[in-house]
Amino acid sequence: MFADHALRLFDNGYMPVPLRGKAPIPNSWQKGFSASRIEAFSAKFPDANVGVLTGSLLAVDIDCEERAVADQVA
């Protein structure tokens, strides 16, 4: 969960945010990112879901139950 992946995501240039479901947990998540903030979020919300700010990041979510179709889409 968040504590397992957030710092590595941050080290690779992503902006991880701890989530409950799909909603950010801390109200202060927009105040910037640093390794120390990610570590603090990891300590406070270790089992939270992991969100990543998209900004210039493009993500594609493929929800398809048929493997052959999913392979074609991918």
Side-chain angles (χ1 to χ4, degrees):
M1 300 308 280
F2 192 81
D4 297 329
H5 304 287
L7 195 54
R8 186 167 33 160
L9 285 166
F10 179 75
D11 288 343
N12 283 296
Y14 298 99
M15 308 290 183
V17 178
L19 305 177
R20 180 173 294 114
K22 294 183 178 182
I25 297 172
N27 293 330
S28 63
W29 65 269
Q30 307 97 324
K31 292 185 178 179
F33 292 84
S34 66
S36 62
R37 287 200 77 216
I38 300 303
E39 290 170 351
F41 284 160
S42 293
K44 192 169 184 179
F45 312 109
D47 296 324
N49 292 336
V50 182
V52 177
L53 294 186
T54 54
S56 61
L57 176 68
L58 175 64
V60 177
D61 183 14
I62 302 170
D63 293 320
C64 184
E65 295 180 16
E66 294 183 40
R67 180 64 187 201
V69 174
D71 289 341
Q72 286 179 337
V73 173

